[in-house]
Amino acid sequence: MRAVWISKHGGPEVLEVRETPDPVPGPGELKIRVKAAGLNFAEVTARQGLYPDAPKPPCVVGYEGAGVVEAVGPGVSAGRVGERVFYLTRFGGHADVVCVKEAQAVQMPEAMSFEEGAALPVNYLTAYHMLFEIYRLRPGAHVLVHMAAGGVGTAALQLCRTVPDVTVYGTASAHKHAYLREQGCTHPIDYRSRDYAQEVRRLVGERGVDLVLDALGGGDWKKGYRLLRPTGMLIAFGFANVSVGGRRRLLHLARQFVRVPVFTPLHLMNDNRAIAGVNMGHLWDELELLRRESEALVELYSAGHLRPQVTGRYPFSRAREAFAELEEGRNTGKVLLLPD
Ligand SMILES: NC(=O)c1ccc[n+]([C@@H]2O[C@H](COP(=O)([O-])OP(=O)(O)OC[C@H]3O[C@@H](n4cnc5c(N)ncnc54)[C@H](OP(=O)(O)O)[C@@H]3O)[C@@H](O)[C@H]2O)c1
């Protein structure tokens, strides 16, 4: 099989395509011929050496993809061979063959393309989990979505649209605002040229927002918390602020960690606000939960509510360009790696 390897921590130049023997499906596993694999911001930070959960290089990362079941391991019905599936895989996803547990693969509806399937699992499960499992998004809510033009951001905008009268404030570079509106954002905000917190406050008034989805981290968690109305919730689900210019900068890292606010239960009680954390990578053993959420997403897709937006497609041999697109913040929606 061929896979995109991170040979050591560093810039895009450390990525290499290598050939190794195909894996053999173990008990309860499916062997999948990959048609498209998803690239996520987490994998960019894994390459930079800033993602604590990632395996040590040399390694193959990648959390998701879509393809066709080519073989099954002991205990799995041979009837699954030939099935079109999207799947989660804990690393090893940037390869043209993967083996995953049967429960981690979901049959795709006929209308779903492999590219759409590969764009769905991480981004849409994360957004769905935050909006409907951790929070209970209700009609009339006001939601602030950071990194709104990215993969999770796009999924969050589309999912907010499934609930009536939700007002969404989305932060993104100005040239991505037309895209944001198409995906359902009510108020795109150019966080690069103005203070987004002041802008949200101006738009929403003293009422404040009900929900903040924040994968920026550091001082932004404090700003988001202050924007919440009583009963509001901030969900912390990433720390993108630690990644700058593709390089690890110790002083920058230290500054970001110093800015992380400390909240006590007393603060939260007296403010009537909530803070939640989400790391889908740590819900790995919650197969029932992930299956239920995946099925809900398939239903929403089939009803025409979700349309994964793939805006970057790169063969494995050009993986460095794919990583650079995400790293430099040029992407809108999803970037995929395609077997050559
Ligand atoms: N906890 C979980 O389970 C989980 C799951 C998935 C993703 N995440 C996290 O969610 C975040 C978004 O992931 P994604 O895959 O959707 O990202 P993505 O598609 O790469 O989108 C990132 C976009 O965010 C914007 N951005 C704003 N501030 C940024 C900053 N400080 N650093 C980098 N980008 C910044 C950039 O666009 P503009 O600046 O041009 O607007 C960039 O294009 C990441 O932090 C990721 O680690 C967490």
Side-chain angles (χ1 to χ4, degrees), residues 2-289:
R2 283 161 64 79
V4 178
W5 285 75
I6 297 176
S7 58
K8 57 182 180 182
H9 291 148
E13 69 284 352
V14 304
L15 298 168
E16 291 170 7
V17 178
R18 295 185 191 169
E19 193 131 7
T20 53
D22 273 12
V24 176
E29 287 188 344
L30 307 174
K31 177 185 178 192
I32 298 165
R33 179 63 53 183
V34 176
K35 300 292 185 185
L39 181 61
N40 291 291
F41 194 76
E43 288 123 29
V44 173
T45 53
R47 200 211 63 219
Q48 295 170 334
L50 294 171
Y51 188 45
D53 288 352
K56 285 199 170 45
C59 62
V60 178
V61 291
Y63 271 123
E64 63 189 344
V68 178
V69 178
E70 192 173 78
V72 296
V76 182
S77 156
R80 293 207 69 173
V81 172
E83 201 174 282
R84 299 164 75 250
V85 291
F86 65 75
Y87 53 85
L88 284 166
T89 171
R90 189 136 197 261
F91 310 118
H94 295 163
D96 61 8
V97 177
V98 295
C99 288
V100 303
K101 283 198 188 112
E102 193 179 15
Q104 287 161 220
V106 176
Q107 186 167 19
M108 300 199 310
E110 244 171 59
M112 189 182 282
S113 69
F114 288 118
E115 292 193 358
E116 287 180 316
L120 203 98
V122 172
N123 292 161
Y124 284 78
L125 277 173
T126 305
Y128 184 91
H129 184 76
M130 293 191 289
L131 291 169
F132 299 117
E133 188 76 25
I134 302 300
Y135 192 69
R136 302 270 185 270
L137 187 62
R138 290 177 280 270
H142 288 249
V143 182
L144 170 59
V145 178
H146 284 299
M147 309 172 86
V152 178
T154 300
L157 298 183
Q158 293 184 3
L159 285 163
C160 282
R161 224 167 25 187
T162 65
V163 177
D165 301 325
V166 171
T167 303
V168 183
Y169 310 83
T171 63
S173 300
H175 67 277
K176 298 178 180 176
H177 287 191
Y179 171 84
L180 252 55
R181 284 196 189 88
E182 276 167 29
Q183 302 307 315
C185 181
T186 328
H187 299 292
I189 298 172
D190 177 14
Y191 71 100
R192 290 179 188 269
S193 67
R194 63 180 63 183
D195 180 341
Y196 70 81
Q198 274 180 17
E199 186 61 6
V200 172
R201 185 61 76 192
R202 186 184 72 76
L203 290 162
V204 75
E206 281 315 304
R207 176 193 189 280
V209 297
D210 299 277
L211 177 65
V212 177
L213 304 183
D214 190 324
L216 295 169
D220 287 291
W221 282 330
K222 191 187 275 180
K223 283 172 84 167
Y225 183 81
R226 287 187 178 147
L227 285 172
L228 292 176
R229 67 178 300 207
T231 76
M233 179 186 281
L234 169 86
I235 305 184
F237 71 107
F239 204 162
N241 281 336
V242 295
S243 166
V244 272
R247 269 171 294 142
R248 185 178 193 153
R249 296 192 186 144
L250 285 177
L251 192 60
H252 175 81
L253 274 180
R255 271 201 210 108
Q256 291 303 324
F257 277 99
V258 167
R259 287 179 190 153
V260 173
V262 177
F263 299 101
T264 67
L266 278 175
H267 277 114
L268 302 177
M269 179 178 79
N270 290 330
D271 291 348
N272 277 300
R273 293 172 178 159
I275 298 186
V278 165
N279 184 338
M280 298 304 284
H282 294 183
L283 287 176
W284 205 243
D285 296 324
E286 302 286 336
L287 290 176
E288 216 23 71
L289 170 73

